[in-house]
Amino acid sequence: MRKIFLFLILSAILAGLITACNSSPTKSAESLRSNAKAYGKLIRWKAYEDAAKYIKLSSGEAVVIDYKLLNQIRVTRYEVSSMVLNENSDEAVVMAEISYYHERVNNVHNIKHQQNWWKDKETGAWYLDGQLPPFMR
């Protein structure tokens, strides 16, 4: 009887550990997907200052953003084409395809923007390690 009870307890603990290990990467991927989607919507709707809140360089350096240029950019399409997490689920590469035009020039440009995201170990928040998309003048 004791052996069965001990076996059941150990099985429950093991099952809990396996579930916790399996759900962590999933939660991390869902969190990244949510942040990347929100970031894309902000870029799409010209909320560049809010989108910049997702940017935090892993080196700790300050990010310089040219809002004067950005205010002249109109994004017509923003689509995440791929998202790849590393095996630790604390870094990821997100590829976005962006169509935009400059207000003074009516040519539509298409760019592929590679975004390197990293997860803050203390807060669990995802940040873009880079700049806003490289829009041409």
Side-chain angles (χ1 to χ4, degrees):
M1 182 70 150
R2 281 183 110 168
K3 288 182 181 180
I4 293 173
F5 183 69
L6 183 60
F7 175 77
L8 291 174
I9 289 176
L10 290 175
S11 296
I13 291 171
L14 184 60
L17 289 173
I18 290 171
T19 302
C21 290
N22 287 339
S23 66
S24 180
T26 303
K27 287 181 183 179
S28 190
E30 288 173 11
S31 176
L32 171 63
R33 189 172 291 109
S34 174
N35 280 10
K37 185 176 179 179
Y39 173 79
K41 283 183 180 182
L42 293 169
I43 296 292
R44 173 69 179 91
W45 296 110
K46 200 178 173 182
Y48 299 117
E49 290 184 28
D50 290 330
K53 294 175 185 173
Y54 285 91
I55 298 174
K56 183 177 178 183
L57 301 181
S58 60
S59 65
E61 295 177 43
V63 178
V64 178
I65 298 172
D66 184 0
Y67 290 109
K68 185 176 180 180
L69 166 66
L70 291 172
N71 286 329
Q72 299 172 27
I73 299 295
R74 298 283 187 246
V75 174
T76 59
R77 182 178 70 94
Y78 185 103
E79 184 176 325
V80 172
S81 57
S82 69
M83 187 177 307
V84 180
L85 272 80
N86 69 350
E87 61 185 44
N88 295 330
S89 296
D90 60 356
E91 293 181 2
V93 175
V94 175
M95 290 298 297
E97 296 178 15
I98 305 168
S99 298
Y100 72 95
Y101 66 93
H102 190 285
E103 287 180 339
R104 289 185 284 144
V105 182
N106 288 329
N107 293 340
V108 175
H109 300 278
N110 298 302
I111 59 172
K112 291 185 179 184
H113 184 218
Q114 178 176 321
Q115 304 166 1
N116 298 313
W117 289 76
W118 63 282
K119 187 175 182 179
D120 187 311
K121 292 177 180 160
E122 293 178 15
T123 65
W126 282 96
Y127 293 103
L128 177 59
D129 190 13
Q131 296 285 334
L132 290 169
F135 298 118
M136 295 173 50
R137 294 184 180 270

